[in-house]
Amino acid sequence: MGCGRVGSTLALSLESQGHDVAVIDSSSAAFRRLGSSFEGKRVTGLGFDRDTLREAGIEDAYAFAAVSNGDNSNILAARVARETYSVEHVVARIYDPGRAEIYQRLGIPTVGTVRWTSDQMLRRLLPQGSVPEHTDPSGQVVIADVPLNPAWIGRRVSEIESTSGARVAYVTRLGEGILPKVDTVYQDGDLVHLVTTSVGLASVEQTLDQTPPVH
């Protein structure tokens, strides 16, 4: 939702990676930013309106990004996508960093405008093949924000490490970073930042996208 500079860049990036994309904006003139080569849907309407969302294909969507120029519209649309249509991967852009904690409590990852990059959005929308947050000078070790299957909720961070073979560098909880302890439990809404090798990242993401093993 939103076809400004951020939304159009995100849509074109996703399409270039082979994904089917639908873009919603209240102004049809905004779609000019997509250019003539964009093959996805262009839907004129409000991104939190259910009819508009259905026209865009929300019922079959893998992910939803709310990147309009209004905080209230973004969070409302993100909640509708998550709570009404059960879209698992939802992210909202915000202008007011002070609201981040509230949104995190709702279980919706947010990206503040000041530190926004397309890579941060893509990491939250597309768990597989995410872009690392940090890479060491040799290119061998990376830190990546890796989404987990919801079935991991309630499991200890130590189990995440033993199953994936990666180390948990830190956890973002309610907008704040915390260093996990031995008994730290993964909670709904947590963002887990893992340290692993660049060649092993894809395997780690695939492992944690699955249901955890039964003990």
Side-chain angles (χ1 to χ4, degrees):
M1 181 190 80
C3 195
R5 179 177 57 83
V6 174
S8 59
T9 300
L10 190 59
L12 293 170
S13 295
L14 289 166
E15 187 172 73
S16 71
Q17 294 181 33
H19 300 285
D20 294 325
V21 184
V23 182
I24 299 170
D25 199 283
S26 58
S27 171
S28 58
F31 298 132
R32 71 181 185 278
R33 295 187 177 91
L34 296 170
S36 59
S37 63
F38 181 71
E39 298 181 354
K41 289 184 179 179
R42 297 171 172 85
V43 180
T44 303
L46 299 176
F48 48 82
D49 177 75
R50 289 167 174 74
D51 290 336
T52 300
L53 286 167
R54 283 194 293 269
E55 182 181 350
I58 192 70
E59 293 168 317
D60 299 313
Y62 175 83
F64 178 80
V67 292
S68 75
N69 60 4
D71 284 5
N72 291 336
S73 296
N74 286 343
I75 199 62
L76 179 57
R79 291 192 67 181
V80 171
R82 169 69 62 80
E83 298 169 10
T84 302
Y85 296 102
S86 301
V87 179
E88 183 176 349
H89 303 286
V90 175
V91 62
R93 184 181 68 161
I94 61 170
Y95 285 88
D96 179 4
R99 298 184 181 184
E101 181 173 336
I102 297 174
Y103 298 164
Q104 293 286 0
R105 288 183 184 277
L106 296 174
I108 298 173
T110 60
V111 174
T113 311
V114 175
R115 61 186 180 86
W116 181 89
T117 67
S118 59
D119 288 348
Q120 288 175 319
M121 279 286 181
L122 289 171
R123 277 199 297 272
R124 288 160 173 76
L125 291 174
L126 304 173
Q128 300 303 314
S130 70
V131 180
E133 297 173 295
H134 173 76
T135 303
D136 82 303
S138 72
Q140 301 299 310
V141 179
V142 299
I143 297 178
D145 170 6
V146 179
L148 276 64
N149 186 300
W152 280 97
I153 294 172
R155 296 292 192 98
R156 291 188 177 186
V157 166
S158 57
E159 293 183 63
I160 295 173
E161 293 182 326
S162 61
T163 300
S164 67
R167 295 183 181 178
V168 176
Y170 66 100
V171 175
T172 300
R173 178 172 295 170
L174 302 178
E176 296 185 358
I178 61 172
L179 295 176
K181 299 178 181 179
V182 176
D183 58 350
T184 297
V185 173
Y186 174 62
Q187 298 181 10
D188 189 16
D190 283 356
L191 300 178
V192 178
H193 308 266
L194 294 170
V195 179
T196 184
T197 61
S198 55
V199 296
L201 177 57
S203 176
V204 169
E205 291 175 327
Q206 186 174 11
T207 297
L208 295 178
D209 196 40
Q210 306 301 315
T211 301
V214 178
H215 297 298

